[in-house]
């Protein structure tokens, strides 16, 4: 994990920027997504590189189902949609949201009187919705994946109520290979009512005509509530230690077999699956059918699930280039860790102090190390006896972005060790499935070094800057460059011995 990060050739600078993070004035920002099945409001804490949702409300208006045989929304359907958006607009304004963007997708662009819906929304709320074209929706969704991961490469697919958007992402950009297909959960569900075989043939025909081949990394990023429900089911079946869907991976062939099985289930059988969302019971078979056929045609090696999609991609494209180019994990870690730390400036000092800890460190490794430094004081308010395990469990499940599940485990182990925790059976039950022995060892070393830095410097950056840690074959040495900073040798030596033990060196000494 640490030695072969996909961002190794990336020239970006990744640093802890305490002043910028602490000086930032948040302005709440809202997005209303007018989809084919539901209308959703998400209020974010800020328009930023790592947006954190403060409020999330969904109304199952079912615009797609409200389209009549004449291809028009009924008056009742328009009224339901306007009522929902009026309520959401009032909630957002009460939360002091400074900006609300309204995005309309497949059902609205398909309806012959979609403009009537837009006009009614504007008249009732003053908001001016934007109807996204199919390829435009695919582009923003792809940027959502770029926003939510570190330099992703491969194909992305977003299944909604009315359509399936597919695009190719290459690091920080979206290629020209994008498409939108009428393979949403609702139309596929209607086809399934005529039989599995007929529905499969129909889906395959559309994919053959419109789905671009997978020409970059053999990775498929899955977006949309229907596909995330598949991930939830598998996580529950496996009793996985990390229950966060974002960043969850599966071998593609394994997922295809699972999806094929679910695609043939009745709603009653789907309802018996573990942790299946109730609102997905009626359409999960349809979403599973599309997943199984997409994977068969693209033949990727693995599937990565994403909680970020259209809304987050829209946000990402509103940012300036400097903000877009910031690392999502480090931004999130700084936003969470620095404002609540006892000495916010200490995180940057700790980052500098550990810069030479791992020779040959990759960019992927650097971003993880600095994220750990930004989170170094995350548990200081907890009782000292529960800090290690509480921090470990919290970081495993925290809604970070730009992070894989193994990287979550790395951060959790690092902070556990920073608080003096042990790698006991409870911890190993998590790490054995996610971390290679070398990565586990690296996380432990980093955590023990962070604990040492806190102890001898009292979290004072200037004291930390006057010391050097050297890890050699014969000994681990803490060199104090300023005699006035000489620490209590017994307490510090105990932490230094823990560093030595983690590195496999017998001698620990303070110079």
């Amino acid at each position: 994990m640490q030695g072969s990060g996909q961002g190794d050739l990336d020239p970006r600078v990744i640093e802890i920027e305490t002043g910028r993070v602490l000086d930032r004035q948040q302005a709440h920002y809202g997005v209303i997504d007018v989809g084919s099945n539901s209308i959703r409001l998400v209020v974010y804490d800020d328009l930023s590189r790592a947006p954190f949702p403060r409020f999330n409300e969904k109304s199952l208006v079912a615009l797609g189902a409200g389209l009549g045989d004449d291809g028009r929304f009924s008056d009742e359907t328009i009224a339901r949609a306007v009522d929902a958006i009026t309520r959401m607009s009032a909630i957002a304004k009460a939360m002091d949201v400074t900006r609300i963007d309204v995005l309309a997708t497949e059902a609205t662009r398909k309806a012959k009187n979609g403009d009537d819906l837009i006009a009614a929304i504007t008249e009732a709320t003053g908001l001016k919705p934007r109807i996204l074209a199919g390829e435009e929706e695919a582009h923003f969704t792809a940027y959502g994946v770029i926003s939510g991961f570190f330099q992703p490469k491969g194909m992305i697919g977003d299944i909604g109520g009315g359509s399936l958007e597919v695009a190719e992402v290459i690091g920080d950009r979206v290629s020209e290979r994008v498409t939108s297909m009428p393979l949403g959960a609702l139309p596929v569900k209607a086809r399934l009512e005529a039989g599995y075989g007929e529905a499969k043939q129909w889906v395959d025909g559309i994919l053959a005509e419109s789905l671009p081949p997978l020409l970059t990394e053999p990775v498929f990023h899955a977006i949309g509530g229907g596909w995330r429900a598949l991930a939830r089911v598998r996580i529950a079946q496996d009793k996985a230690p990390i229950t966060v869907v974002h960043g969850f991976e599966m071998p593609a062939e394994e997922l295809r077999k699972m999806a094929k099985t679910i695609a043939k289930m009745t709603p009653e059988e789907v309802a018996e699956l573990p942790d299946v969302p109730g609102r997905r019971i009626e359409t999960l078979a349809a979403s599973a059918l599309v997943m199984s056929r997409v994977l068969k045609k693209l033949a990727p090696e693995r599937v990565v699930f994403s909680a970020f999609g259209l809304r987050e991609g829209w946000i990402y494209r509103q940012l300036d280039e400097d903000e877009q180019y910031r690392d999502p994990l480090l931004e999130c870690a700084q936003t969470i860790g620095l404002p609540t730390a006892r000495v916010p400036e200490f995180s940057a000092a700790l980052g500098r102090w550990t810069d030479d800890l791992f020779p040959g460190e990759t960019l992927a490794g650097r971003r993880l190390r600095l994220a750990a430094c930004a989170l170094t004081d995350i548990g200081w308010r907890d009782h000292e006896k529960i800090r290690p395990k509480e921090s470990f469990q919290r970081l495993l499940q925290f809604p970070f972005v730009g992070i894989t599940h193994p990287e979550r485990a790395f951060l959790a182990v690092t902070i556990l060790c920073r608080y003096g925790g042990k790698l006991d059976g409870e911890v190993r039950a998590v790490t054995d499935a996610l971390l290679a022995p070398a990565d586990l060892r690296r996380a432990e070393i980093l955590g023990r070094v962070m604990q040492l830095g806190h102890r001898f410097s009292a979290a004072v950056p200037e004291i930390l800057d006057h010391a050097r840690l050297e890890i050699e074959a014969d000994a681990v040495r803490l060199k104090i460059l300023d005699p006035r900073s000489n620490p209590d040798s017994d307490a510090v030596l105990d932490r230094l011995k823990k560093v030595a033990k983690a590195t496999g060196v017998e001698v620990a000494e303070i110079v």
Side-chain angles (χ1 to χ4, degrees), residues 246-446:
H246 187 75
F248 176 66
E249 294 187 12
M250 282 186 68
E253 186 59 26
E254 187 177 312
L255 177 58
R256 191 177 76 83
K257 291 179 180 178
M258 172 188 169
K260 184 177 180 180
T261 298
I262 293 176
K264 297 178 181 179
M265 288 183 176
T266 65
E268 292 75 21
E269 291 171 326
V270 169
E272 295 299 318
L273 294 170
D275 200 32
V276 64
R279 62 185 177 277
R280 302 291 174 189
I281 290 174
E282 294 295 326
T283 58
L284 188 59
S287 297
L289 173 60
V290 178
M291 174 64 82
S292 69
R293 306 317 294 170
V294 167
L295 294 183
K296 180 175 177 59
K297 184 162 180 60
L298 290 181
E301 292 178 2
R302 57 193 176 95
V303 177
V304 180
F305 290 88
S306 174
F308 274 32
L310 172 64
R311 291 181 298 274
E312 291 76 20
W314 172 265
I315 291 173
Y316 179 84
R317 295 299 287 170
Q318 310 310 305
L319 306 175
D320 62 39
E321 289 188 5
D322 288 343
E323 185 77 6
Q324 287 181 0
Y325 212 50
R326 299 190 192 283
D327 179 71
L329 171 60
L330 188 54
E331 284 298 291
C332 187
Q334 291 182 97
T335 300
I336 297 302
L338 299 188
T340 58
R342 288 168 294 181
V343 184
E345 295 77 12
F346 189 69
S347 286
L350 198 56
R352 294 190 299 270
W353 199 62
T354 56
D355 267 342
D356 299 324
L357 184 59
F358 301 119
E361 181 181 57
T362 65
L363 190 65
R366 178 177 177 79
R367 62 193 291 271
L368 272 180
R369 176 173 57 80
L370 292 184
C373 291
L375 296 166
T376 189
D377 225 14
I378 194 171
W380 76 269
R381 287 186 174 87
D382 296 331
H383 189 279
E384 62 180 10
K385 290 187 177 180
I386 67 170
R387 282 174 193 160
K389 286 293 178 67
E390 285 291 317
S391 299
F392 178 77
Q393 292 297 335
R394 182 182 181 189
L395 293 175
L396 283 180
Q397 312 296 343
F398 196 84
F400 289 115
V401 293
I403 191 171
T404 66
H405 280 204
E407 289 170 339
R408 284 179 175 276
F410 182 93
L411 281 182
V413 169
T414 299
I415 300 302
L416 170 100
C417 293
R418 171 263 180 274
Y419 283 121
K422 298 179 179 179
L423 301 181
D424 57 17
E426 181 182 349
V427 173
R428 295 302 294 263
V430 173
T431 61
D432 286 350
L434 292 168
L435 290 177
D439 293 320
L440 178 64
R441 181 169 179 265
R442 187 183 293 249
E444 182 183 9
I445 292 171
L446 177 57

Side-chain angles (χ1 to χ4, degrees), residues 46 111 126 140 152 156 173 185 194 256 310 385 402 444 458 460 475 498:
D46 200 6
F140 283 120
I156 70 99
R173 67 183 181 88
R256 191 177 76 83
L310 172 64
K385 290 187 177 180
E444 182 183 9
V460 177
K498 290 182 179 179

